[in-house]
């Protein structure tokens, strides 16, 4: 017989809490490694000459590279005891992104994360975080919504 951890009520006091910004220096080789790892073959992601010819300052980060720099800012919220996520019962439910200008090698991207919502529906806790990433020029390069579900709350 499998024993589940005791049910816990969701804590909503952390809604609106914002965490310290995290800055990530986007490196050319990191972009190339990411593109290779996910099977991206577009030369804009690996070839400086192709990126320059297309009008970019350096190689372009694939859109989902946002996870590399934004997840670092979301992590503290997920692990915050004030948020109260029961990791033994958590599943990652999804991510949604809205992109702005492309990110290229040499950019410095600063991401701030906020607890957007915490709710209880059908015995499950829904934890929603929002990340906002801006480049060194203050342009919003991506806004992310990250949702985790905890069973048995």
């Amino acid at each position: 017989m499998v024993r589940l951890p005791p049910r816990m009520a969701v804590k909503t006091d952390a809604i609106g809490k914002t965490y310290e910004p995290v800055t990530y220096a986007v490196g050319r080789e990191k972009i190339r490694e990411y593109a290779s790892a996910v099977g991206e073959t577009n030369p804009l992601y690996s070839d400086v000459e192709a990126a320059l010819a297309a009008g970019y300052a350096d190689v372009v980060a694939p859109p989902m590279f946002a996870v590399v720099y934004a997840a670092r800012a979301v992590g503290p919220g997920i692990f915050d005891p004030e948020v109260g996520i029961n990791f033994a019962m958590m599943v990652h439910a999804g991510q949604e992104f809205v992109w702005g200008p492309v990110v290229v090698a040499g950019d410095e991207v600063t991401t701030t994360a906020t607890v957007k919502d915490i709710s209880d529906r059908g015995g499950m806790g829904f934890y929603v975080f929002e990340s906002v990433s801006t480049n060194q020029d203050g342009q919003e390069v991506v806004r992310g919504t990250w949702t985790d579900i905890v069973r048995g709350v």
Side-chain angles (χ1 to χ4, degrees), residues 8 11-20 73-87 90 113-115 118 127 129 148:
M8 300 170 52
K11 300 188 258 178
T12 59
D13 294 346
I15 295 173
K17 184 174 182 179
T18 298
Y19 298 89
E20 287 294 315
V74 175
I78 292 172
F79 292 104
D80 185 346
E82 191 177 331
V83 174
I85 292 177
N86 178 354
F87 297 104
M90 183 184 90
T114 302
V115 180
I118 301 172
Y127 298 82
F129 298 87
D148 296 301

Side-chain angles (χ1 to χ4, degrees), residues 31-43 45-46 61-64:
I31 291 173
R32 287 176 173 155
E33 290 166 359
Y34 179 88
S36 175
V38 299
E40 288 285 1
T41 59
N42 186 326
Y45 304 145
S46 60
M64 286 306 294

Side-chain angles (χ1 to χ4, degrees), residues 4 17-18 25 27 37 49-50 52 57 65 69 84 93 95-96 111 123 128 138 152:
L4 298 176
K17 184 174 182 179
T18 298
E49 295 305 319
L52 292 172
F65 188 79
Y69 53 80
Q95 297 163 231
E96 297 175 31
T111 304
V128 181

